[in-house]
Amino acid sequence: MSATNIIHSIPSDPLTGAISVPVYQTSTFIQDAPGVNKGFDYARSNNPTRKVLEDIVANLEGGHGAFAFGTGLAAIDAVVKLLSAGDEIIAVDDIYGGAYRLFTRVYQKLGIQVTYVDTTDAENIARAISSKTKLIWIESPTNPTLKISDIKAISAIAKSVDALLVVDNTFASPIAQQPLSLGADLVIHSGTKYIGGHSDLVAGLVVTKTESLSEKIKFIQNASGGILGPWDCFLTIRGIETLDIRYRKQCQNAEKVAQFLLQHGAVDQVFFPGLETHKNHAIAKQQQNGLFGGIISFTLKDDTVAAANAFVTSTQYFKLAESLGGVKSLLCHPPQMTHASVPREVRLKAGIKDSLIRLSCGIEEAEDLVRDLDRAFSEATKNKNTVLA
Ligand SMILES: Cc1ncc(COP(=O)(O)O)c(C=O)c1O
């Protein structure tokens, strides 16, 4: 979808002509008679500001419907609630740590089993399927090792066994990738990241392919109640106005940062789908419209937590913080931060080494970001008792 279409999918207010979407800060709506209303009755069930956001996101992803939740994890939670005790999920092995925690610590004890496989090879999924598999859960690219899975190929496998394919599209954003057009049934987003885009809110989105899935997710959204409030809906809409231009700049910055890291003597591996050496570069190029995202992760030759600590505390523009996708560049050390809830042996198996560092490129000038990283390698070596030069 073009930037023009995105911007003009955001309506002005038909009542007043306000160019920006009004915030309906209300808990309830006056009815003319019981059940006779203007389409809204109670703000958990629906809210006009949320409705605008949900329509915009459905349009962005080419879905039947979209549903806004208080966080990305609440969106993930809503999708898992489609299942019943005894059902099984096959999930990508380096899934976001919070999703791993939700699956293992909450849903496993309610009778839902999850099998983790390396989904970069679709055949691994086919091999893991059982008669109880109801959901296949992938992120592409993954957090944090930027693995790419072939959405079309996996959707064919899901369809052959009547399982639903869920794609966490947080990293690619709807600008690079529209999983529903590649065969997925549901898309989820941490709206906290690229969609919101300014590190000023937490939000989650579920997008559905069919009317029947829309009805089910809408029911769960209202029944469980984890909705996004009107102010945060407004901020998310405002974020979407600049999503296209932000995302493209972040992708350009990441390409330059990845090239810099590749030639640096202290760096061991660089994970970035834009590199021709990346395992599924060709698939990424095709299914992400040639945009490889703004996230890069890398490991150090000195593969220790101490070396990673020295580096992540030495940058100036890349701020040390959880989260990603905002206009300001961020960096984090997943083993101690975003993925701390994943046991070390599971983490290592998924390729998340002790020194793995994740960068989220913002919209600063690429040259400044490269200079910041270069300086951080020297600073860590000079002052922090480690050799990263
Ligand atoms: C890929 C991915 N999915 C889901 C989430 C969860 O989103 P939230 O933090 O908004 O709950 C995150 C958070 O980092 C994420 O990176």
Side-chain angles (χ1 to χ4, degrees):
M1 185 186 280
S2 72
T4 309
N5 286 341
I6 294 172
I7 287 165
H8 290 280
S9 72
I10 301 171
S12 45
D13 178 32
L15 284 182
T16 63
I19 192 90
S20 74
V21 176
V23 178
Y24 283 88
Q25 188 67 46
T26 184
S27 60
T28 195
F29 302 83
I30 297 167
Q31 311 203 11
D32 295 334
V36 181
N37 56 52
K38 296 182 171 63
F40 300 92
D41 54 4
Y42 185 60
R44 172 166 32 75
S45 310
N46 212 342
N47 171 287
T49 314
R50 195 172 89 222
K51 174 86 175 73
V52 170
L53 170 63
E54 291 176 338
D55 289 348
I56 293 167
V57 172
N59 195 39
L60 266 180
E61 285 285 5
H64 175 270
F67 303 89
F69 292 84
T71 63
L73 265 175
I76 294 172
D77 182 71
V79 172
V80 181
K81 282 176 174 154
L82 291 169
L83 302 184
S84 307
D87 290 346
E88 292 180 4
I89 302 175
I90 295 175
V92 58
D93 56 3
D94 68 336
I95 195 164
Y96 166 61
Y100 178 86
R101 180 177 55 205
L102 178 71
F103 291 169
T104 50
R105 303 277 297 276
V106 178
Y107 280 103
Q108 205 158 295
K109 69 176 192 285
L110 298 177
I112 291 166
Q113 292 303 319
V114 186
T115 307
Y116 296 93
V117 301
D118 176 0
T119 59
T120 59
D121 181 353
E123 278 309 303
N124 290 336
I125 297 180
R127 274 192 287 276
I129 277 172
S130 82
S131 58
K132 295 178 180 165
T133 306
K134 292 288 172 348
L135 223 57
I136 296 173
W137 195 290
I138 60 171
E139 293 171 20
S140 189
T142 56
N143 181 5
T145 59
L146 289 310
K147 287 183 180 170
I148 299 291
S149 297
D150 184 337
I151 298 174
K152 253 190 200 157
I154 295 172
S155 112
I157 294 170
K159 282 188 177 52
S160 72
V161 293
D162 237 358
L164 295 173
L165 174 62
V166 187
V167 178
D168 183 332
N169 203 29
T170 299
F171 273 41
S173 96
I175 303 302
Q177 178 169 276
Q178 295 185 307
L180 300 178
S181 72
L182 299 167
D185 300 287
L186 292 142
V187 166
I188 75 104
H189 279 280
S190 169
T192 315
K193 310 296 181 336
Y194 286 109
I195 289 187
H198 295 78
S199 306
D200 55 8
L201 60 91
V202 288
L205 297 150
V206 178
V207 193
T208 53
K209 183 154 186 153
T210 62
E211 186 176 357
S212 143
L213 282 170
S214 291
E215 279 167 10
K216 288 175 185 162
I217 297 291
K218 174 81 190 167
F219 174 82
I220 292 166
Q221 185 192 41
N222 185 48
S224 289
I227 51 128
L228 189 65
W231 275 105
D232 288 341
C233 289
F234 168 81
L235 284 173
T236 309
I237 294 166
R238 200 173 58 166
I240 291 170
E241 288 179 342
T242 56
L243 175 60
D244 186 274
I245 193 166
R246 279 187 285 108
Y247 194 77
R248 288 178 195 278
K249 170 83 172 164
Q250 286 162 314
C251 289
Q252 284 168 11
N253 283 352
E255 300 257 0
K256 293 192 176 136
V257 167
Q259 290 305 330
F260 163 75
L261 291 171
L262 268 186
Q263 54 74 49
H264 198 283
V267 173
D268 187 15
Q269 294 162 285
V270 178
F271 302 95
F272 181 59
L275 299 175
E276 278 175 19
T277 48
H278 184 285
K279 180 181 173 186
N280 282 344
H281 170 72
I283 295 170
K285 196 168 175 181
Q286 205 177 11
Q287 72 186 11
Q288 294 181 203
N289 298 316
L291 293 168
F292 299 105
I295 314 295
I296 302 160
S297 50
F298 64 99
T299 57
L300 299 170
K301 286 198 177 127
D302 178 358
D303 183 33
T304 60
V305 170
N309 274 344
F311 183 82
V312 299
T313 53
S314 296
T315 51
Q316 182 191 345
Y317 293 132
F318 282 92
K319 305 291 185 199
L320 179 62
E322 309 256 353
S323 203
L324 55 99
V327 293
K328 280 186 185 164
S329 293
L330 300 178
L331 90 172
C332 83
H333 182 234
Q336 292 179 103
M337 296 169 72
T338 51
H339 289 63
S341 56
V342 182
R344 185 165 180 268
E345 62 283 4
V346 177
R347 199 167 45 65
L348 291 177
K349 227 171 120 200
I352 308 171
K353 289 186 175 175
D354 288 341
S355 68
L356 188 98
I357 293 164
R358 187 187 75 193
L359 303 177
S360 168
C361 295
I363 62 168
E364 303 92 337
E365 299 308 327
E367 297 69 35
D368 291 327
L369 297 182
V370 166
R371 213 171 301 123
D372 189 28
L373 297 172
D374 198 22
R375 216 189 38 79
F377 281 115
S378 311
E379 160 77 13
T381 302
K382 215 165 30 183
N383 298 329
K384 304 210 168 148
N385 210 18
T386 183
V387 183
L388 293 182

